[in-house]
Amino acid sequence: MKFISTALILFFFAAAGDSGFDDLPINKVQLIGSHNSYKKAIDTALFNLLKAKNPQAAVGLEYSHIPLPDQLNLGLHNLEIDVYADEKGGKYAHPTGLEWEAASNPPPYDPTGEMNKPGFKVFHVQDLDFRSNCPTFADCLHQLKTWSDQHPDHYPIYITMNAKDQEIKVAGFKVPEHFSTEVFDRLDKEILDNLGRGYLITPDDIRGQSPTLESAVLAGHWPSMKAARGKFIFILDEGGEHRDSYIAGHPSLKGRVLFTDSPAGTPEAAFMIINDPKGEGDKIREMVKKGYMVRTRADADTKEARVNDKSSFVAACASGAQIITTDYYYKSTFFPSEYSVSFDGGTYMRKQ
């Protein structure tokens, strides 16, 4: 008899356990995901320089993540990806912070020259917090597609996205390209070109024949977990001008790839980003009860982890928000702390 590995046994048990979610609509499942999921640690010399100049800001950046496929293998079902537009390529190929890293002999940055190619780039803060497990958005999407192809029956993976174009007024720092409707058109195209329509649940899929996306959501038109197997759902975590630019020309997000963080009472309302589960727990519960999907946070800026405070996570669980993000599915490797986030039994998904 051939040896059966422990990993294979665990895979079979996990698959059997997963089937208990099949008949639930996706808005009746609560899951844990990661925040700034692509982020690598800031190099030591650069971090020490930042800490000397602005200690409070620096400690909020003192975290990192394992590669995206490893997070998905762990059982996380939500990732967050920040994108910067780079239509011509090369804008972010030589971060200013590389000069400050030199003192600690850091690993090479972009040794294959991917940052010189046109297309969206993925990192946290230009010229300061720029190391990423997938520096280009195309690379992130290829990693997601490869993982999905290797796990074709996976439950839906939610990808929240920030469109980054804030200028930092420091000499030598790159000025990001503004996210206009046309830039968002390119973002949609990059997702379709590198991941593919067949891997997606889009606003059109949820709206169906309903007059608006919101009316479909309020009528409970979310798919079952079984029907959503093998799919990704992208959400634009932006309001104001960015949200307006993405919606422009696409009422109820017709033809768009991403859902938006749109308020109740608008045609595009489906997903909402409500990040304070302690202060806005009642609002989250109200939105969830009506049928919307809500993303909230268990921790932010390393604050909860440093004092092992799980009160926000407890509030997030109790709020009913379907997506709870954390920087700490593992304990910190940067400072002593017992803080980490999971549901009972060390799982990252549970029934509402």
Side-chain angles (χ1 to χ4, degrees):
M1 181 177 180
K2 291 184 178 180
F3 176 76
I4 300 177
S5 71
T6 301
L8 190 58
I9 293 171
L10 290 174
F11 170 80
F12 282 124
F13 274 102
D18 277 355
S19 63
F21 293 91
D22 273 359
D23 295 333
L24 293 172
I26 62 173
N27 65 318
K28 297 299 181 182
V29 174
Q30 191 172 55
L31 57 93
I32 293 170
S34 60
H35 159 257
N36 290 343
S37 310
Y38 54 85
K39 182 174 151 47
K40 284 186 175 181
I42 300 174
D43 171 72
T44 301
L46 176 54
F47 181 78
N48 288 339
L49 178 63
L50 294 176
K51 193 172 182 179
K53 290 180 175 294
N54 189 331
Q56 184 175 358
V59 297
L61 300 174
E62 197 175 18
Y63 64 94
S64 66
H65 289 292
I66 60 178
L68 302 186
D70 293 344
Q71 294 181 50
L72 297 175
N73 287 336
L74 186 65
L76 303 185
H77 283 77
N78 165 245
L79 302 173
E80 182 179 69
I81 298 175
D82 293 344
V83 289
Y84 288 78
D86 187 13
E87 183 177 12
K88 297 180 180 179
K91 177 181 279 289
Y92 303 105
H94 304 284
T96 300
L98 283 177
E99 301 172 11
W100 301 326
E101 286 187 350
S104 57
N105 191 29
Y109 179 73
D110 188 32
T112 60
E114 293 299 304
M115 297 295 279
N116 287 308
K117 298 179 181 178
F120 295 90
K121 305 306 189 291
V122 176
F123 53 87
H124 191 210
V125 182
Q126 68 267 33
D127 295 296
L128 291 177
D129 193 1
F130 49 81
R131 291 191 177 269
S132 172
N133 281 307
C134 50
T136 71
F137 189 38
D139 181 25
C140 294
L141 294 169
H142 291 158
Q143 291 184 30
L144 296 178
K145 186 176 187 297
T146 298
W147 182 88
S148 185
D149 288 342
Q150 294 170 348
H151 306 82
D153 290 330
H154 66 81
Y155 281 133
I157 306 298
Y158 300 87
I159 310 294
T160 50
M161 298 190 65
N162 289 124
K164 305 293 281 286
D165 60 8
Q166 184 176 359
E167 182 180 354
I168 300 175
K169 295 185 182 299
V170 174
F173 279 31
K174 314 303 183 295
V175 178
E177 297 175 25
H178 177 66
F179 269 85
S180 63
T181 297
E182 292 72 26
V183 174
F184 279 122
D185 290 344
R186 299 204 312 265
L187 183 66
D188 276 2
K189 185 177 187 300
E190 193 149 318
I191 295 171
L192 293 170
D193 288 349
N194 291 283
L195 187 57
R197 179 65 176 87
Y199 291 76
L200 301 170
I201 293 175
T202 70
D204 287 343
D205 296 324
I206 303 304
R207 189 183 62 259
Q209 300 303 311
S210 299
T212 67
L213 176 59
E214 183 183 51
S215 64
V217 166
L218 295 179
H221 289 184
W222 295 112
S224 69
M225 292 287 282
K226 182 177 182 179
R229 283 184 179 269
K231 305 293 186 180
F232 293 86
I233 300 173
F234 285 76
I235 306 105
L236 180 63
D237 179 8
E238 297 287 350
E241 183 182 351
H242 282 161
R243 179 176 60 210
D244 293 346
S245 294
Y246 190 74
I247 294 171
H250 300 268
S252 278
L253 298 173
K254 292 180 181 179
R256 279 304 197 190
V257 171
L258 285 79
F259 293 82
T260 53
D261 172 22
S262 293
T266 61
E268 296 76 27
F271 279 86
M272 297 177 184
I273 310 296
I274 307 175
N275 284 329
D276 181 5
K278 290 198 289 188
E280 296 192 273
D282 288 343
K283 180 180 179 180
I284 295 174
R285 277 183 281 273
E286 179 186 359
M287 295 300 102
V288 168
K289 184 177 181 180
K290 288 182 176 180
Y292 302 106
M293 299 276 283
V294 177
R295 195 290 301 273
T296 194
R297 293 184 67 174
D299 45 70
D301 303 324
T302 77
K303 293 176 182 177
E304 289 83 0
R306 291 180 185 277
V307 294
N308 196 22
D309 176 9
K310 290 191 175 182
S311 59
S312 289
F313 176 58
V314 171
C317 292
S319 74
Q322 292 91 346
I323 303 171
I324 303 170
T325 66
T326 182
D327 289 317
Y328 297 100
Y329 43 86
Y330 287 143
K331 296 176 185 177
S332 175
T333 57
F334 298 93
F335 49 83
S337 174
E338 292 300 308
Y339 182 88
S340 65
V341 165
S342 65
F343 296 130
D344 292 343
T347 61
Y348 299 96
M349 185 168 67
R350 70 178 187 178
K351 299 177 183 179
Q352 285 279 46

